[in-house]
Amino acid sequence: MSVLVIAEIDTHGLKTATRSAISAAAQLGGEVHVLLAGENIQGIALQAKEIKGLSKILVADSPEYAQGIAENLSPLVRQLAADYQTIVAAATSFGKNLLPRVAALLDVAMVSEVTQILAPRRFVRPIYAGNLNATVAAPVGQLVLTIRPTTFAPAELQGGAAEVVAVASTGDAGKARFVSRELAVSDRPELATAKVVISGGRSLGSKEAFHATLTPLAEQLGAAIGATRAAVDSGMAPNDWQVGQTGTVIAPELYIAFGVSGAAQHVGGIKDAKIIVAVNTDPDAPIFKVADYGLVADLFTVIPALQSALKG
Amino acid sequence: MKILVQIKRVIDYQVTVRPTADGRNVETAGVKMSINPFDENALEAAVRLKEAGLATEVLAVAIGSAANQDVLRHALAMGADRALLLETEHTLGSLQTAKALKALVAREAPQLVLTGKQAIDDDAAETAQMLAALLDWPQATFASAITLADGVATVVREIDGGQETLQLNLPAVISADLRLNDPRFIKLPALMMAKKKPLETLPLAELGAVEAPALTLEAVNEPPARPAGRVLGNVDELVAALRAAKVLS
Ligand SMILES: Cc1cc2nc3c(=O)[nH]c(=O)nc-3n(C[C@H](O)[C@H](O)[C@H](O)COP(=O)(O)OP(=O)(O)OC[C@H]3O[C@@H](n4cnc5c(N)ncnc54)[C@H](O)[C@@H]3O)c2cc1C
Ligand SMILES: Nc1ncnc2c1ncn2[C@@H]1O[C@H](COP(=O)(O)O)[C@@H](O)[C@H]1O
């Protein structure tokens, strides 16, 4: 039986994380269909046709889906779900918000933040901020999954030929109203998918110092900037820069942590980076236990030195 | 207006967790347990709403073994008026938990249920949304600000890339992010007073059936360790190493 992937649309179109969910869905066996729900999304549907491995795109184009309101989307998914064995989405803030609601409406089991598919009903997922991995088995019946996008390569954007089918709206549930959304605008890459991420901790000292110290290096490296919770809580960095258990989980090629102690809740969000570099004045800082390369040094001298070494 | 706050007892966030010897579960023997950090934020928000005159009663609810009395006493000391333990020796899955809470909501008739955004043991982040679905109530997950007026909750939510604001018609379910507030520090007099507040225990079975499909935990492992790293002498060595690893051009 087929798998239905719930797509996520942002200002740039279909999110990369959705293509990761499509790759994960392909591992479950059966046809992979995707639900695109939103407003004025015909153009996105045409792009999505090309995605490799996808056989059908269900398009629900209606104003009540424009803002991703879970109260409106969950009845739609519930109605479509009858034809599917498994419902999958990426474990982004959108997917995490919506899919448990869907699972409860369907009265079926849910597995969140899957990092490995061992069999169609056996999965590995991180627990305790990623300090441990749990292997879980789901009971017979329909299943709802969210998958961690960093552990499944996004399905390719070409080579597919999916059929596009319109589906009717289930209307406005009238329970929740969208008021506003403030998204950070930046020309730097997105934190969740950047190849290079540099991050700063509490020791950067102030909002001004955080930006003045990290931004030029980030620009030189084409990197996204991340932060610890301590840095975010003291107002040095916006909340969506937080990396870790309660922030974004990332898996860049290169992660450089400046003045980050390496608390378990932070490390849980970077463990899948290819190379981790730690710069910390304390040789006993726990971050050195997960770092591939470390410098026991003051970040305020390392960063300018790194900038000139990169120029040379 | 009554607010119900869900409190889960979990391994303290500072403990280094380990699998049991047979690799089938997480070692909890002799391990420090605490209130789930996000649930403290949920409770703090509820107590502040009461202090602001926007709520009349704060009820703290835990589902689990008799050992949960300690986190419920903590909740009472933080300012909950009443605590209720739905006692069971079984570990419930998220949907079972949500069903138990739905039954309790029918009994207690709160206008608002506050939970943590996730429990730091299973990191599931499922219960609030499931409960909202079962009750057919609106939901706001990952809340970093809550205001109540005229039967409407206005909630700022933390989302990927920024934040958004939603308005929910009450009754509603809201899950708390750490940024919602700084939970108060409990002082000794509050602890003493908490001893006099009512803490009721109700066998979960008495609430009725909470049948729901649940996952089976087969194994718990430490993730593969990263290969041992190297401390380098200076920035030039670092740049050379990163170029050799082909992560820098
Ligand atoms: C439920 C829960 C969830 C959490 N989730 C997250 C999360 O998602 N992400 C997260 O990051 N945290 C999270 N935390 C917080 C986490 O436990 C730590 O408190 C936090 O990561 C510490 O941030 P920090 O490294 O900036 O600060 P600190 O721990 O204070 O460390 C500062 C470091 O900077 C070093 N330093 C100081 N000056 C310099 C200098 N000049 N040059 C170089 N190094 C210097 C110090 O040696 C020290 O190691 C969570 C906590 C809880 C309870
Ligand atoms: N056994 C439980 N007892 C009380 N509250 C719970 C329980 N399990 C989950 N919760 C609540 O649901 C939230 C989210 O948990 P979870 O969905 O398991 O990540 C927690 O922060 C608690 O507020």
Side-chain angles (χ1 to χ4, degrees), chain A residues 13 15 25-26 29 36 40 55 68 82 101 109 113 120 122 129 138 152 172 174 181 204 208 219 245 251 265 277 300:
Chain A
K15 263 203 145 173
L36 271 185
N40 299 328
S55 45
R101 194 167 176 112
E113 202 115 23
R122 281 181 76 229
F152 296 91
D172 187 341
R181 182 173 298 135
L204 267 299
E208 293 66 36
E219 273 169 8
Q245 181 187 29
Q265 295 83 9
V277 177
F300 292 104

Side-chain angles (χ1 to χ4, degrees), chain A residues 100 125, chain B residues 5-10 36-40 42 61-64 68 85-86 88 90-94 97-98 101 114-130 174-176:
Chain A
R125 60 179 303 272
Chain B
V5 185
Q6 285 182 233
I7 304 292
K8 190 174 189 190
R9 185 174 188 263
V10 296
N36 182 41
F38 298 95
D39 300 355
E40 268 195 304
V61 177
I63 307 175
N68 278 270
L85 170 59
L86 288 178
T88 171
H90 299 287
T91 304
L92 302 189
S94 306
T97 302
L101 274 148
L114 284 170
T115 77
K117 111 170 182 182
Q118 69 196 62
I120 61 164
D121 49 4
D122 58 26
D123 281 334
E126 296 166 354
T127 308
Q129 301 89 306
M130 288 178 169
I174 301 177
S175 83

